[in-house]
Amino acid sequence: MTKSRMEAFSDGVLAIIITIMVLELHVPEGHGWSELGALWPKVAAYVISFVYVGIYWNNHHHLMHTVRRVTGGILWANLHLLFWLSLFPFVSGWAGESHFAREPMTAYGVVALMAALAYTILVRTIIGAGEQNHLLADAIGTDAKGNFSLVAYVVAIMAPLLGAWGVWASGVALVAVALVWLIPDRRIERVLDATPHP
Amino acid sequence: MTKSRMEAFSDGVLAIIITIMVLELHVPEGHGWSELGALWPKVAAYVISFVYVGIYWNNHHHLMHTVRRVTGGILWANLHLLFWLSLFPFVSGWAGESHFAREPMTAYGVVALMAALAYTILVRTIIGAGEQNHLLADAIGTDAKGNFSLVAYVVAIMAPLLGAWGVWASGVALVAVALVWLIPDRRIERVLDATPHP
Amino acid sequence: MTKSRMEAFSDGVLAIIITIMVLELHVPEGHGWSELGALWPKVAAYVISFVYVGIYWNNHHHLMHTVRRVTGGILWANLHLLFWLSLFPFVSGWAGESHFAREPMTAYGVVALMAALAYTILVRTIIGAGEQNHLLADAIGTDAKGNFSLVAYVVAIMAPLLGAWGVWASGVALVAVALVWLIPDRRIERVLDATPHP
Amino acid sequence: MTKSRMEAFSDGVLAIIITIMVLELHVPEGHGWSELGALWPKVAAYVISFVYVGIYWNNHHHLMHTVRRVTGGILWANLHLLFWLSLFPFVSGWAGESHFAREPMTAYGVVALMAALAYTILVRTIIGAGEQNHLLADAIGTDAKGNFSLVAYVVAIMAPLLGAWGVWASGVALVAVALVWLIPDRRIERVLDATPHP
């Protein structure tokens, strides 16, 4: 009961985050192709942010599978994650609006990093509360993807501070994280598949 | 479990898409009938887009009936569909704002076509994963409606590029697709009705 | 299954409608009491519209109780109702923005009337599909409230067309409908209470 | 059934409230750190309001645990609570926009107080309807937190009226309430834990 309601609330927040980002695509004044083309940075930022939030929804969904009971600590760790994810529309809009200037790229990297840390805190809170089932421990295993992401986020944050070229490094790092996680749940899914369930 | 959560998330996203479109109907500055009347292109675009998203929700709802288990591939095929549907408020607002100019009409047709392709990909992914039950195969049958829609979308996209008259052809094609699909689920529903269910 | 998903989608749309209306309360430029006080027409319009949507949610909730199975016709009758309800933020914002001018009041009355008709169509569609259980027939009974509302809506629509005083008559009529329906479900609730249910 | 749908609707409204508050963080025109830094009052207001709505969601979630059946009175007491919570984005945006000027701080305090009263009315309505189970009575106990909050809200409302320093007292009082309630459900949770449940 508790668990399904936390899922429903998280689904609602994530659904709204992923959808209101499109509101940053303001309808252009004119109606030519050039006006549409001028929106490309916002469209690109929207696509990558859509994928990011989609990855989080996907992982959240799998993570919740492993939880038996929701404690107060888990509820707040979950709200903390949703807080950082709720800033994606802002940094995404800023990055697009500024045509991927240096400061917005660093800001995007910071929000992406904080969301990743919040996700890690959520996982640890679940384990700390002893409410995970054996699937979670089996499923996490070596965290090669997590370590790669951490390095990539640091690149995404720092590189733009070093020079104009850093914006490109930052963008590549952020896209690489998205690509690496695009099929993020294979590990948990494989364990789930191997486990008989009703 | 998994399936009901994917449905809940999709419902949330579709509910938000269908509702934020109304935000493009900005409250007019004045309060006369002429100010309200000047909104007619936006109202018309809103009505047709509302019907489009309603059709997708309706079909999605029936499609999910036939799915037994949700895989990672199905989750991403579903997110891909939601991505294209999330662009409806933008192209709808642009088409209305520009009084149905040629470029926005083509853009609307492109988004409508991409959403249709994403829906097809979702159906194929479900079948490819072997997670559909027999209802889906029974229910799809000959895809006359799908073929008609494909032709109509091509008309909707190409006609405005050929001349000012093309805007009207585009609009007629898009409305025709909506009308054809307005009762889109009869085929699946008939099979469901013929199947005893608890 | 079908029914619970239609409820979830309707809940989502109604939750968004009721919440985005608050976006019409734009944060004032200044920070004095006079700037806040100047918002009173928007606040008043928000309160009455919140109550209207709340009444519809409440009634919808009770109506769905009586439905056994959802057909395609019921789905579309439901979407039709949601369409008219989705226009409340627009007419509410317009009425408030214009300090309850004559044309916006008539427009508000038209939307309120169309929503009421859409609700009636939904009820008739459920009965026509033979999918209601006996509770609905028992519960509707004489429709004194419905007839009162119809007269009030006609007053709300016509009075502002006749003169400036009509705006007040329109407002009184709309508030009266809200008050009459504020406890709208007693009839169905009484029948439900009298019926043993698991 | 009734109960789960009221929860779903409340979850939807709360998810939207908590998410649209981020829309007040308008993307800055420029792309320097100073433009981002200038947003700090809005960010601070967003953080505190996010925590407030999170606390209400959390408490609402626990409160609903204790309800057996939803009556018409409970539905309206719940809508009344959602109404006041829906004003948080407005007062939060106003407080941030005005750099925490005196009038917006008082307005924020008033909305926070009204939401607290609405929550109390909801609890009383549940008890009055005799629909709570024994958990609620056990769980509420002495209401030290509630009394502290009441005093803090009065400080938050009155202090800014007395002088410029009052804005700080108001801010401290509002943050203190958030901190006190951040782990608000221990009492109910403890009782729940002590109760065997399936």
Side-chain angles (χ1 to χ4, degrees):
Chain A
M1 187 55 161
T2 302
K3 179 173 145 184
S4 74
R5 208 181 156 188
M6 189 174 105
E7 288 183 327
F9 182 74
S10 306
D11 280 350
V13 171
L14 289 170
I16 298 159
I17 291 172
I18 216 169
T19 320
I20 64 173
M21 286 195 299
V22 88
L23 292 178
E24 291 294 334
L25 291 179
H26 300 295
V27 170
E29 299 269 317
H31 53 77
W33 291 123
S34 59
E35 274 93 350
L36 187 65
L39 286 178
W40 77 263
K42 290 189 174 185
V43 173
Y46 176 54
V47 171
I48 186 83
S49 299
F50 189 97
V51 172
Y52 262 89
V53 178
I55 287 170
Y56 273 102
W57 176 71
N58 212 334
N59 283 338
H60 190 270
H61 168 99
H62 278 84
L63 180 62
M64 284 303 117
H65 251 292
T66 73
V67 174
R68 282 186 308 224
R69 200 177 61 97
V70 175
T71 64
I74 295 175
L75 281 177
W76 281 105
N78 189 54
L79 275 171
H80 178 239
L81 171 61
L82 294 179
F83 174 79
W84 288 106
L85 293 177
S86 81
L87 294 181
F88 267 100
F90 174 76
V91 288
S92 176
W94 199 29
E97 181 84 28
S98 68
H99 285 227
F100 306 112
R102 291 162 67 184
E103 292 86 349
M105 287 304 278
T106 291
Y108 195 111
V110 168
V111 168
L113 176 63
M114 293 307 294
L117 291 180
Y119 188 81
T120 305
I121 290 171
L122 176 58
V123 171
R124 300 248 163 110
T125 306
I126 291 170
I127 293 174
E131 294 298 350
Q132 84 286 17
N133 61 24
H134 69 286
L135 291 176
L136 184 60
D138 292 359
I140 296 296
T142 60
D143 203 0
K145 275 189 189 179
N147 291 336
F148 171 79
S149 302
L150 191 63
V151 173
Y153 288 140
V154 171
V155 170
I157 292 170
M158 302 304 291
L161 303 178
L162 302 178
W165 58 268
V167 167
W168 293 97
S170 181
V172 168
L174 288 169
V175 170
V177 171
L179 290 179
V180 164
W181 283 97
L182 207 58
I183 321 166
D185 36 76
R186 285 285 180 250
R187 288 172 302 171
I188 294 183
E189 202 166 290
R190 210 176 304 127
V191 180
L192 279 174
D193 283 350
T195 314
H197 52 279
Chain B
M1 188 56 161
T2 303
K3 180 173 144 182
S4 75
R5 206 179 157 191
M6 190 174 105
E7 289 183 327
F9 183 73
S10 306
D11 280 350
V13 171
L14 290 170
I16 298 158
I17 290 171
I18 216 169
T19 320
I20 64 173
M21 287 195 299
V22 88
L23 293 178
E24 292 293 335
L25 290 180
H26 300 295
V27 169
E29 298 270 317
H31 52 78
W33 291 122
S34 58
E35 275 93 349
L36 187 65
L39 287 177
W40 77 263
K42 291 189 173 185
V43 172
Y46 176 54
V47 171
I48 185 84
S49 300
F50 190 97
V51 171
Y52 262 89
V53 178
I55 287 170
Y56 273 102
W57 176 71
N58 213 334
N59 282 339
H60 189 270
H61 167 100
H62 277 84
L63 181 61
M64 284 304 117
H65 251 293
T66 72
V67 174
R68 281 185 309 224
R69 201 177 61 97
V70 176
T71 65
I74 295 175
L75 282 176
W76 281 104
N78 189 54
L79 275 170
H80 178 239
L81 171 61
L82 295 179
F83 174 79
W84 289 107
L85 294 177
S86 80
L87 294 181
F88 267 100
F90 173 76
V91 288
S92 176
W94 198 28
E97 182 84 28
S98 68
H99 285 227
F100 307 112
R102 291 161 67 182
E103 293 86 349
M105 287 304 278
T106 291
Y108 196 112
V110 169
V111 168
L113 176 62
M114 293 306 294
L117 291 180
Y119 188 81
T120 305
I121 290 172
L122 176 58
V123 171
R124 300 249 163 110
T125 306
I126 291 170
I127 293 175
E131 294 298 350
Q132 85 286 18
N133 60 26
H134 70 285
L135 292 176
L136 184 60
D138 291 359
I140 296 297
T142 60
D143 203 1
K145 276 190 189 178
N147 292 335
F148 171 79
S149 302
L150 191 64
V151 173
Y153 288 140
V154 171
V155 170
I157 292 169
M158 302 305 291
L161 303 177
L162 302 178
W165 59 269
V167 167
W168 294 97
S170 182
V172 169
L174 289 169
V175 170
V177 172
L179 290 178
V180 164
W181 283 97
L182 206 59
I183 319 165
D185 37 76
R186 284 286 180 251
R187 288 172 302 170
I188 295 183
E189 202 166 291
R190 208 175 306 126
V191 180
L192 279 175
D193 283 351
T195 314
H197 50 281
Chain C
M1 189 57 162
T2 303
K3 179 173 145 183
S4 74
R5 206 178 158 192
M6 189 174 106
E7 288 183 328
F9 182 73
S10 305
D11 281 349
V13 171
L14 290 171
I16 298 159
I17 291 171
I18 217 169
T19 320
I20 63 174
M21 285 195 300
V22 88
L23 293 178
E24 291 294 334
L25 290 180
H26 301 294
V27 170
E29 298 270 317
H31 53 78
W33 292 123
S34 58
E35 275 93 350
L36 186 67
L39 287 177
W40 79 262
K42 290 188 174 187
V43 172
Y46 176 54
V47 171
I48 186 83
S49 299
F50 190 98
V51 171
Y52 262 89
V53 179
I55 287 170
Y56 273 103
W57 176 71
N58 212 334
N59 282 340
H60 190 270
H61 168 99
H62 278 83
L63 180 62
M64 284 303 118
H65 251 294
T66 72
V67 174
R68 281 186 309 225
R69 201 177 61 97
V70 175
T71 64
I74 295 175
L75 282 177
W76 281 105
N78 190 54
L79 276 171
H80 178 239
L81 171 61
L82 294 178
F83 174 79
W84 289 107
L85 293 177
S86 80
L87 294 181
F88 267 99
F90 174 76
V91 288
S92 176
W94 198 30
E97 182 83 30
S98 69
H99 284 226
F100 307 112
R102 292 162 65 182
E103 292 85 349
M105 287 304 278
T106 291
Y108 195 111
V110 169
V111 168
L113 176 63
M114 293 307 293
L117 290 180
Y119 188 81
T120 304
I121 290 171
L122 176 58
V123 171
R124 301 249 164 110
T125 307
I126 290 170
I127 294 175
E131 294 298 348
Q132 85 286 17
N133 59 27
H134 69 285
L135 292 176
L136 185 60
D138 291 0
I140 296 297
T142 59
D143 202 2
K145 276 189 190 179
N147 291 336
F148 171 79
S149 302
L150 191 63
V151 173
Y153 288 140
V154 171
V155 170
I157 292 170
M158 302 305 291
L161 303 177
L162 302 178
W165 59 269
V167 168
W168 293 97
S170 181
V172 168
L174 289 169
V175 170
V177 172
L179 290 178
V180 163
W181 282 96
L182 206 59
I183 318 166
D185 37 76
R186 285 285 179 251
R187 288 170 303 170
I188 295 183
E189 203 166 290
R190 208 175 306 128
V191 181
L192 279 174
D193 284 350
T195 314
H197 51 281
Chain D
M1 188 56 164
T2 302
K3 179 172 145 183
S4 74
R5 208 181 156 190
M6 189 174 105
E7 287 183 328
F9 182 73
S10 305
D11 281 349
V13 171
L14 290 171
I16 298 158
I17 291 172
I18 216 169
T19 319
I20 64 173
M21 285 195 301
V22 88
L23 292 178
E24 291 293 335
L25 290 180
H26 300 295
V27 170
E29 298 269 317
H31 53 76
W33 291 122
S34 58
E35 274 93 351
L36 187 66
L39 287 177
W40 77 263
K42 289 189 174 185
V43 173
Y46 176 53
V47 171
I48 186 83
S49 299
F50 189 98
V51 172
Y52 262 88
V53 178
I55 287 169
Y56 273 103
W57 176 71
N58 212 334
N59 283 339
H60 189 269
H61 168 100
H62 278 83
L63 180 62
M64 284 302 117
H65 252 292
T66 72
V67 174
R68 282 186 309 224
R69 201 177 61 97
V70 175
T71 64
I74 294 175
L75 281 177
W76 281 105
N78 190 53
L79 275 171
H80 178 240
L81 171 61
L82 294 178
F83 174 79
W84 288 107
L85 293 178
S86 80
L87 294 181
F88 267 99
F90 173 76
V91 288
S92 176
W94 199 28
E97 182 84 28
S98 69
H99 285 228
F100 306 113
R102 291 162 68 183
E103 292 85 349
M105 287 304 279
T106 291
Y108 196 111
V110 169
V111 168
L113 175 63
M114 293 308 293
L117 291 180
Y119 188 80
T120 304
I121 291 171
L122 176 58
V123 171
R124 301 248 163 110
T125 306
I126 290 170
I127 293 176
E131 292 299 348
Q132 85 285 17
N133 60 25
H134 69 287
L135 292 176
L136 184 60
D138 292 359
I140 296 297
T142 60
D143 202 1
K145 276 189 190 180
N147 292 336
F148 172 79
S149 302
L150 190 64
V151 173
Y153 287 140
V154 171
V155 170
I157 292 169
M158 302 305 291
L161 303 177
L162 303 178
W165 59 269
V167 168
W168 293 97
S170 181
V172 168
L174 288 169
V175 170
V177 171
L179 290 179
V180 163
W181 283 96
L182 207 58
I183 320 166
D185 36 78
R186 286 286 180 249
R187 289 172 302 172
I188 294 182
E189 204 167 290
R190 209 176 304 128
V191 180
L192 279 175
D193 284 350
T195 314
H197 52 280

